[in-house]
Amino acid sequence: MMDRIREIILDYVEAEPEQITESTSLRNDIGASSFDLMNIAMALEEEFGVSLPDSLLPKVKTVGDLVKLIEQS
């Protein structure tokens, strides 16, 4: 799952694949904007067949937070 999440994130931000780990801060480490995060969330919903509530997105700080959110959906 992590490899696919990494690929999706790389579609929206300019970073090296090795920069994206579960502890990577989406905003601080790889510079994802709010718009990037919304697009990433929509792509993850489509890829994994889950629904990620918009109300939870502001609480997502790291790639690991995204993984947990997908696993809980």
Side-chain angles (χ1 to χ4, degrees):
M1 177 190 298
M2 184 61 196
D3 287 339
R4 186 63 189 123
I5 291 171
R6 181 180 295 115
E7 289 172 10
I8 290 170
I9 291 170
L10 288 171
D11 286 341
Y12 297 95
V13 298
E14 290 190 30
E16 295 300 320
E18 59 273 7
Q19 287 179 277
I20 300 175
T21 65
E22 286 197 27
S23 63
T24 300
S25 168
L26 293 162
R27 290 185 187 271
N28 297 332
D29 294 336
I30 57 174
S33 68
S34 296
F35 185 70
D36 294 330
L37 293 176
M38 286 180 51
N39 285 323
I40 290 167
M42 288 190 302
L44 292 171
E45 286 177 330
E46 188 174 314
E47 176 70 23
F48 294 104
V50 297
S51 178
L52 304 177
D54 292 340
S55 61
L56 294 180
L57 290 181
K59 297 176 183 173
V60 173
K61 305 294 183 206
T62 67
V63 174
D65 292 342
L66 274 178
V67 172
K68 288 177 195 166
L69 196 55
I70 291 168
E71 290 175 343
Q72 294 170 356
S73 295

